[in-house]
Amino acid sequence: MIAQENAAPVSTAATGEEYNFAYLDEQTKRMVRRAVLKAVAIPGYQVPFAGREMPMPYGWGTGGIQLSASILGPDDVFKVIDQGADDTTNAVSIRKFFERVADVETTERTSEATVIQTRHRIPEEPLTEEQIMVYQVPIPEPLRWMEARETETRKMHALEEYGVMHVKLYEDIARHGRIATNYMYPVMVNGRYVMSPSPIPKFDNPKLDRSPALHLLGAGREKRIYAVPPYTDVKSLDFEDHPFEVETWDECCGLCGSETSYLDEVILDDAGGRMFVCSDTDYCSRRRESGHLGPMAAREDLDELKGDRPAQEGGHNG
Amino acid sequence: MAESVKPLFSVQGLTKYYGDMIGCRDVSFDLWPGEVMGIVGESGSGKSTLLNCISAQLEPSEGTVSYESGQFGNIDVHRSEEPIRRKLRRTEWGIVHQNPRDGLRLGVSAGANIGERLMSIGARHYGNIRRNALEWLGEVEIDASRIDHLPKTFSGGMQQRLQIACNLVTEPRLVFMDEPTGGLDVSVQARLLDLLRNLVSRLGLSVIIVTHDLAVARLLAHRLMVMRRGEVVETGLTDQVLDDPQHEYTQLLVSSILQV
């Protein structure tokens, strides 16, 4: 994916702007790539990097954007998802940013993309060896909730003292009768480092295990990069008598009828009407195109959800 | 004590300076398996400094501390690798802090606190961890119904008993206690002492206990070490030291006990 082997700047004329290709200067990209190489060499280990100020606030995906900027080449096809959707504000603005400063082709189709930046989801469609996932991570340290001191958490990682992660899971079971952690569910990477897989739902944790794609995780505020290289073991922490389980739903997707994808609940009116739809909008629309229809697919008042046409004035309030 | 038995814990010439201030100076003693050693002295006499040094929480200026470990053999505590020291601290050793809040996780339930040491050495079965926690709550006389409550909802005496349970759950061989009854009212203190005495004799623990309270020392300790201004002024069997004090400072200390 890193197309420019020599660090020679790509002509700024290509972007029609006074910015360097993909916004960051070449020295910064080299620094980030070095951190990425180290992260890939030590799966799950948090590598510090000299995070730069980006033209957007922390919390809007600055870590992921710096990673994307450093690995994007002119031939890449870029996809951005936020909450599983391609058309949410954050996804649209990040996609526009790279269209403008890197002039890369963008797409909403998972299968066409070579670099996919994401906040909350891993696409339902299986990833390939040709793809890189880039995650925007708010809190990279999985031990943070149990141990506030950074000096101590580093030592705990170094010495593999991970007992406290299970204290958190114990507490979940004691309070809720089951492991109630649903996102940022801690995983053991390559049998060595405990890692926080960003705020993806635990539904997506199994997709990380022995995934053919490269997964890069970047935290802008905390200035850490970590990675899951292709075909790496990723095991979700659990107890012998309370094994790891993913979320399940009683219903299928109202639009495409999928029973295997991660569903979002949508409130339809103020009289208890609701439906479940795929959180991965690309997956859902591909399924509908190929003829899979859910129980609510025919309802015209839900067109906005389908992404077919903009909502009419007055919306669909019943 | 049989001649063939080696001391469990041996301190030689231990000295700790804080800048040019003396924390403690030239302290040497041996602790034998199953023995309870009391360190008494007035406030500021270097008791806690000594305890922190020998329990590897503080680096001494001079001197050595050696420990006969079940897992690692005979080790020089301060020259061993940090992972070994940390491993000792959560397996073979227990440290009971004066303030239970220093030794507990206040944000998680009592059961999780007791389970933490078990999980840190690899326990991964929720049911077993919970059973163990319940057992130990019973052992330290905390009602089983409190297992899911946060320690901050516990009284001071209960927190202290919980801290003791947290330390004993992995069956340590050596427990360091810093004023375990400090800040508790006398009736709670008496029950805690009773509990400690039973546990110590039943589990065959070796204990080093720091206290300024001679009554605590008399109840628990087999042997006493009296400290003043960072130095040991007198050592001996507890009854001997308390009933027939030789050093003038010990005499002062013993005569200062309030009679009711």
Side-chain angles (χ1 to χ4, degrees):
Chain A
M1 303 299 146
I2 301 168
Q4 326 93 291
E5 298 292 355
N6 54 351
V10 174
S11 164
T12 52
T15 62
E17 299 276 341
E18 49 275 24
Y19 291 117
N20 187 31
F21 177 77
Y23 186 76
L24 292 174
D25 62 274
E26 294 303 313
Q27 283 305 314
T28 301
K29 290 193 216 169
R30 285 181 65 176
M31 174 271 295
V32 174
R33 287 173 200 154
R34 274 198 293 267
V36 167
L37 287 176
K38 186 170 180 182
V40 169
I42 317 171
Y45 172 73
Q46 299 166 43
V47 184
F49 78 110
R52 297 290 194 255
E53 289 285 331
M54 297 303 283
M56 60 200 70
Y58 289 128
W60 287 40
T62 52
I65 289 167
Q66 288 179 77
L67 275 172
S68 293
S70 306
I71 62 169
L72 275 175
D75 302 332
D76 275 317
V77 182
F78 191 53
K79 171 181 161 83
V80 187
I81 38 183
D82 179 25
Q83 305 280 7
D86 292 87
D87 53 1
T88 44
T89 314
N90 202 207
V92 170
S93 59
I94 292 174
R95 195 161 54 231
K96 276 201 175 141
F97 175 75
F98 280 107
E99 274 170 6
R100 181 163 168 196
V101 299
D103 198 25
V104 291
E105 194 186 326
T106 58
T107 182
E108 296 192 357
R109 300 193 82 135
T110 303
S111 55
E112 286 172 0
T114 56
V115 176
I116 303 172
Q117 183 171 332
T118 179
R119 167 69 184 248
H120 300 96
R121 290 298 319 281
I122 299 176
E124 305 291 354
E125 197 173 328
L127 300 170
T128 69
E129 289 179 359
E130 311 301 318
Q131 294 176 312
I132 298 180
M133 290 289 299
V134 172
Y135 299 77
Q136 307 160 200
V137 181
I139 297 161
E141 179 53 72
L143 300 166
R144 183 63 70 235
W145 301 117
M146 299 305 293
E147 176 55 64
R149 289 166 294 177
E150 174 71 16
T151 48
E152 186 66 14
T153 53
R154 285 196 206 182
K155 211 167 262 182
M156 289 158 84
H157 279 296
L159 303 177
E160 287 186 74
E161 290 181 1
Y162 290 136
V164 289
M165 286 316 309
H166 278 85
V167 173
K168 187 162 177 280
L169 300 181
Y170 170 97
E171 197 65 2
D172 259 9
I173 303 173
R175 280 192 199 172
H176 307 288
R178 63 187 176 88
I179 298 178
T181 303
N182 281 333
Y183 65 99
M184 276 209 267
Y185 191 104
V187 292
M188 169 70 83
V189 180
N190 203 25
R192 174 60 182 84
Y193 282 97
V194 165
M195 180 187 98
S196 165
S198 174
I200 63 171
K202 65 179 172 184
F203 181 88
D204 286 343
N205 276 14
K207 294 180 191 164
L208 283 168
D209 188 31
R210 303 205 61 77
S211 165
L214 168 63
H215 301 262
L216 300 176
L217 300 96
R221 194 197 319 257
E222 309 234 356
K223 299 180 173 52
R224 295 283 185 280
I225 288 172
Y226 51 106
V228 178
Y231 302 110
T232 303
D233 289 333
V234 177
K235 193 185 170 306
S236 303
L237 301 183
D238 59 3
F239 284 103
E240 288 159 13
D241 47 347
H242 285 266
F244 173 77
E245 285 171 347
V246 298
E247 301 95 323
T248 53
W249 291 263
D250 296 333
E251 298 177 34
C252 64
C253 170
L255 298 179
C256 78
S258 171
E259 289 172 348
T260 55
S261 80
Y262 185 86
L263 303 181
D264 284 336
E265 183 180 357
V266 179
I267 306 292
L268 295 176
D269 50 37
D270 57 3
R274 58 177 196 163
M275 70 184 294
F276 289 88
V277 290
C278 291
S279 114
D280 186 339
T281 51
D282 173 58
Y283 175 79
C284 194
S285 55
R286 295 294 151 250
R287 272 179 60 86
R288 273 179 282 131
E289 275 167 24
S290 60
H292 298 277
L293 289 179
M296 295 170 114
R299 277 175 63 167
E300 281 183 14
D301 57 338
L302 301 176
D303 280 355
E304 190 189 2
L305 273 175
K306 298 178 203 164
D308 294 344
R309 63 185 162 88
Q312 301 294 312
E313 194 65 34
H316 46 258
N317 298 331
Chain B
M1 204 66 62
E3 285 298 309
S4 60
V5 182
K6 277 197 283 186
L8 181 71
F9 194 75
S10 176
V11 177
Q12 295 302 325
L14 193 103
T15 302
K16 173 71 188 176
Y17 292 105
Y18 296 108
D20 55 359
M21 303 248 302
I22 296 170
C24 59
R25 184 154 67 190
D26 196 24
V27 178
S28 304
F29 68 89
D30 288 338
L31 184 79
W32 302 84
E35 190 178 31
V36 179
M37 164 95 141
I39 302 174
V40 297
E42 62 192 357
S43 143
S45 60
K47 307 182 301 274
S48 292
T49 296
L50 176 64
L51 193 84
N52 287 338
C53 282
I54 60 179
S55 60
Q57 299 177 86
L58 202 60
E59 188 72 22
S61 311
E62 283 163 38
T64 59
V65 177
S66 65
Y67 169 69
E68 194 68 37
S69 164
Q71 319 165 61
F72 305 110
N74 190 291
I75 58 168
D76 183 332
V77 171
H78 290 285
R79 282 177 194 79
S80 63
E81 305 264 333
E82 194 180 8
I84 293 182
R85 272 181 303 199
R86 289 173 69 106
K87 186 89 193 284
L88 280 182
R89 240 183 273 162
R90 53 177 209 270
T91 53
E92 293 182 32
W93 291 3
I95 299 176
V96 177
H97 297 270
Q98 176 170 9
N99 184 344
R101 284 147 199 239
D102 294 339
L104 295 174
R105 279 185 197 280
L106 296 176
V108 298
S109 65
N113 267 291
I114 298 181
E116 176 174 355
R117 271 167 83 113
L118 293 169
M119 291 182 248
S120 76
I121 56 170
R124 292 290 179 265
H125 191 285
Y126 175 81
N128 291 348
I129 293 167
R130 201 165 169 84
R131 201 166 317 124
N132 242 308
L134 280 170
E135 205 172 287
W136 273 100
L137 280 180
E139 204 71 69
V140 296
E141 297 170 14
I142 295 176
D143 196 283
S145 65
R146 303 299 301 266
I147 185 168
D148 291 332
H149 294 192
L150 298 181
K152 64 183 172 198
T153 66
F154 286 17
S155 71
M158 280 167 77
Q159 287 182 353
Q160 193 58 280
R161 277 178 280 151
L162 179 63
Q163 194 194 186
I164 289 164
C166 291
N167 275 288
L168 297 188
V169 66
T170 50
E171 293 171 12
R173 310 164 76 204
L174 175 59
V175 181
F176 301 94
M177 296 186 187
D178 192 355
E179 306 268 13
T181 58
L184 303 179
D185 73 62
V186 278
S187 62
V188 175
Q189 218 180 78
R191 274 179 56 203
L192 185 69
L193 286 174
D194 201 36
L195 176 84
L196 275 177
R197 201 159 55 154
N198 281 333
L199 287 173
V200 164
S201 65
R202 192 155 55 77
L203 303 173
L205 295 174
S206 304
V207 180
I208 297 176
I209 180 168
V210 158
T211 179
H212 61 267
D213 187 337
L214 293 182
V216 171
R218 173 154 342 236
L219 267 172
L220 284 178
H222 302 140
R223 213 147 52 91
L224 273 193
M225 207 159 77
V226 184
M227 291 186 74
R228 185 178 62 158
R229 294 181 200 150
E231 293 183 359
V232 175
V233 294
E234 188 168 348
T235 60
L237 297 176
T238 303
D239 292 348
Q240 184 189 329
V241 171
L242 293 182
D243 296 340
D244 182 20
Q246 300 297 307
H247 191 273
E248 55 181 66
Y249 173 69
T250 317
Q251 290 168 358
L252 179 73
L253 207 61
V254 170
S255 65
S256 314
I257 299 176
L258 288 176
Q259 303 292 333
V260 191

